[in-house]
Amino acid sequence: NQLLNIINVPSEKPDLIIIMIDANQQIYSDELINSLSIIGKSIPCILITDINQDLQYYKFVDSGLIKQHLMKPVSLKEIKNSIRLSIE
């Protein structure tokens, strides 16, 4: 898993993870939840989805691993506010 490879390198550990899922992307919620569970709540995560996204992505929000959930279309101001709230 590419996300875990990045996280496991201490010098490359991010302060924040933003996950943007487009309607035509095939990302499996259980796989991503497992990856985020390994990371834990030490790195805040923001999820951005399409408004008509499949309900499987609500598992992310319910998991407690996602600090903020935004739905497209999303403004830069909303993204900025979500980042600020997530890292405080």
Side-chain angles (χ1 to χ4, degrees):
N1 187 322
Q2 194 175 23
L3 178 60
L4 292 177
N5 291 339
I6 293 170
I7 300 304
N8 288 329
V9 178
S11 64
E12 295 183 20
K13 189 173 181 179
D15 296 323
L16 174 76
I17 297 171
I18 299 177
I19 302 165
M20 184 180 304
I21 301 173
D22 291 323
N24 58 356
Q25 280 183 306
Q26 189 66 17
I27 297 178
Y28 298 101
S29 59
D30 293 335
E31 181 181 316
L32 192 52
I33 288 173
N34 288 338
S35 297
L36 292 176
S37 295
I38 292 169
I39 296 166
K41 295 182 181 181
S42 62
I43 301 174
C45 298
I46 297 172
L47 176 65
I48 303 173
T49 59
D50 287 334
I51 199 156
N52 59 353
Q53 203 73 34
D54 191 322
L55 291 178
Q56 71 170 331
Y57 296 109
Y58 286 101
K59 288 181 184 179
F60 293 134
V61 179
D62 293 340
S63 72
L65 299 170
I66 300 296
K67 290 274 191 181
Q68 300 286 317
H69 179 216
L70 304 173
M71 291 189 189
K72 297 180 202 174
V74 61
S75 70
L76 288 176
K77 183 178 180 179
E78 290 174 297
I79 294 172
K80 178 182 155 191
N81 288 339
S82 291
I83 291 170
R84 185 179 47 79
L85 290 171
S86 294
I87 59 175
E88 286 182 342

